[in-house]
Amino acid sequence: MSTLRERNAERLRNSIAGAPIDSHAVFNFYTYPFFHKHSNVPLNEYFHNPAVMLEAQLEVLDKIDNCGNLMPDVGAVAECSGLGGKVRFDSHGFISVHEAEIEEYEDVIKIKPADPYGDNYMRIALEQLEYMVQHCPKGMKVNAHPIMGPFTVAAQLRGISDFCADTIAEPEMVDALLDVVIQTQIAFLHAQEKILGAPLHHVLVCDDLSAFLNPQMYEELILPLYDRLFADFPNTQRWLHNDSTTRHIVSQIPKGGFSAWQYGPVLQPLEAAEGCGNQVTVMGGLNPVELAGYTVEQTIDVCNQVIDSFQGNPRCVLSAAGSINQVPLENIRAMMRVADERKISK
């Protein structure tokens, strides 16, 4: 008899392939604040000791029927840390990156593509990945470390407001910075491929900041970046995490070559699915902030309502985008149970 993990994984695969499904899958994006909250692991050890990271992830995933994969996890700093971004930790140990010293075009052309094996958090992520692959328990899988969207990385390095203004006032500087970012990211993906094997099954691209652009600029600037990023990885699925305000670019998402998209609660499920022409598996429907405050009974009711709103569309996956970190484990288990038990009428 199959496990919940196996059934959920098969449903997600079939949804992405456009094949029939008997029930809707569940997908959540679990990262360090989630594992920290539910395991009490000290974050300094989590980030810098692969054995601690592995044990923390295994401990928490076990509590949600292992419906999730292992993943190296240095937050959003990997690429930036090699390109002059300053990595910092707040009083809780949460990791972030602050902008590099970039004021003009001449500063950008001094930046060289970063070495993923250098003194930066790409190397730390690769060490985590290698350890996880070597010690992964039977029945579990290890995903590649997510990639930040090239626009998001460049905006972090330059400063978000300044970089958005640069797209109008300093396009040459924007192009130069994006060029060095993409070269770095391609090298980072190739390094992960050496550990996981080629082709990488999928890469999750986290690119909330690109939604700041209007539809025309998104099409002209962002979509070519995705094609360039994945040119060396034609057999790797592109998954997108963009839970920003995206209603104005929904129709552009399929043009980015994405197989799956985790969207934010600003969109209704069928609005996301049909806006993508039912070409992309859309993962969402639940507001994570609200979900964090629900009882189990309320979670069950809301999950049923969201699944009703799917209207049997096989491209819809139940998900809470954004800050899943404070959601109680019993509510996540309830999500899994409802989705598993609700069958799609033939």
Side-chain angles (χ1 to χ4, degrees):
M1 185 175 180
S2 63
T3 65
L4 177 56
R5 171 185 168 82
E6 291 167 340
R7 294 193 298 276
N8 191 65
E10 181 180 9
R11 289 163 183 156
L12 184 57
R13 285 194 298 270
N14 287 342
S15 176
I16 290 172
I21 53 175
D22 64 335
S23 297
H24 293 282
V26 172
F27 174 86
N28 290 314
F29 183 22
Y30 304 122
T31 56
Y32 72 88
F34 178 79
F35 293 114
H36 169 64
K37 174 178 173 57
H38 295 297
S39 70
N40 294 316
V41 61
L43 282 174
N44 186 56
E45 294 182 33
Y46 179 86
F47 290 126
H48 302 110
N49 186 329
V52 171
M53 177 177 289
L54 176 62
E55 288 305 312
Q57 292 191 14
L58 287 173
E59 175 189 338
V60 178
L61 290 174
D62 180 65
K63 296 174 182 176
I64 52 175
D65 295 298
N66 288 315
C67 288
N69 291 337
L70 301 167
M71 181 189 77
D73 179 15
V74 297
V77 310
E79 303 99 304
C80 285
S81 69
L83 291 167
K86 301 173 178 65
V87 176
R88 298 180 182 177
F89 300 87
D90 68 12
S91 59
H92 301 288
F94 283 31
I95 194 170
S96 64
V97 65
H98 290 242
E99 57 264 26
E101 295 179 1
I102 300 173
E103 297 295 336
E104 52 192 20
Y105 178 75
E106 285 68 26
D107 296 326
V108 174
I109 61 176
K110 294 176 183 176
I111 302 174
K112 303 301 180 185
D115 178 3
Y117 303 100
D119 185 17
N120 56 62
Y121 275 81
M122 287 185 291
R123 175 185 56 78
I124 290 174
L126 293 174
E127 291 171 352
Q128 295 166 355
L129 179 61
E130 189 162 24
Y131 184 89
M132 286 182 166
V133 168
Q134 292 173 351
H135 297 87
C136 180
K138 185 177 180 180
M140 297 293 288
K141 292 184 178 180
V142 183
N143 288 341
H145 194 286
I147 292 291
M148 303 303 292
F151 185 89
T152 292
V153 175
Q156 288 176 308
L157 289 170
R158 168 74 167 114
I160 296 171
S161 296
D162 287 337
F163 192 67
C164 288
D166 291 340
T167 62
I168 303 297
E170 300 287 347
E172 185 180 33
M173 187 164 123
V174 168
D175 289 343
L177 188 52
L178 288 170
D179 182 69
V180 74
V181 167
I182 287 181
Q183 290 185 62
T184 297
Q185 293 184 307
I186 290 171
F188 186 32
L189 288 177
H190 277 304
Q192 294 195 69
E193 231 179 19
K194 290 180 181 178
I195 299 171
L196 285 170
L200 297 171
H201 176 269
H202 72 274
V203 170
L204 181 63
V205 179
C206 303
D207 202 16
D208 294 351
L209 298 185
S210 64
F212 288 1
L213 301 178
N214 64 37
Q216 180 180 347
M217 291 196 69
Y218 189 90
E219 182 164 13
E220 294 175 355
L221 181 61
I222 302 302
L223 296 183
L225 296 178
Y226 297 144
D227 285 339
R228 184 177 170 196
L229 178 61
F230 283 95
D232 282 5
F233 312 95
N235 298 312
T236 294
Q237 291 182 12
R238 309 178 192 184
W239 293 18
L240 177 67
H241 168 89
N242 187 336
D243 58 357
S244 184
T245 301
T246 51
R247 182 169 283 114
H248 61 299
I249 56 169
V250 171
S251 63
Q252 306 281 12
I253 302 300
K255 299 176 185 178
F258 290 103
S259 301
W261 169 35
Q262 188 179 39
Y263 61 94
V266 68
L267 295 173
Q268 295 301 310
L270 287 185
E271 181 183 9
E274 293 172 359
C276 289
N278 287 309
Q279 300 175 56
V280 178
T281 286
V282 295
M283 307 183 292
L286 292 169
N287 186 317
V289 176
E290 295 174 357
L291 188 62
Y294 288 155
T295 64
V296 170
E297 291 74 20
Q298 289 172 320
T299 299
I300 291 171
D301 288 343
V302 171
C303 287
N304 274 307
Q305 292 171 24
V306 173
I307 290 175
D308 286 341
S309 79
F310 291 168
Q311 299 180 18
N313 189 325
R315 286 294 196 179
C316 292
V317 167
L318 187 64
S319 176
S323 183
I324 191 78
N325 311 321
Q326 301 303 314
V327 177
L329 294 180
E330 54 265 29
N331 289 2
I332 293 176
R333 288 193 294 268
M335 287 178 61
M336 306 289 184
R337 186 168 69 250
V338 171
D340 186 50
E341 293 174 353
R342 285 284 304 271
K343 301 305 176 186
I344 298 174
S345 300
K346 302 298 183 184

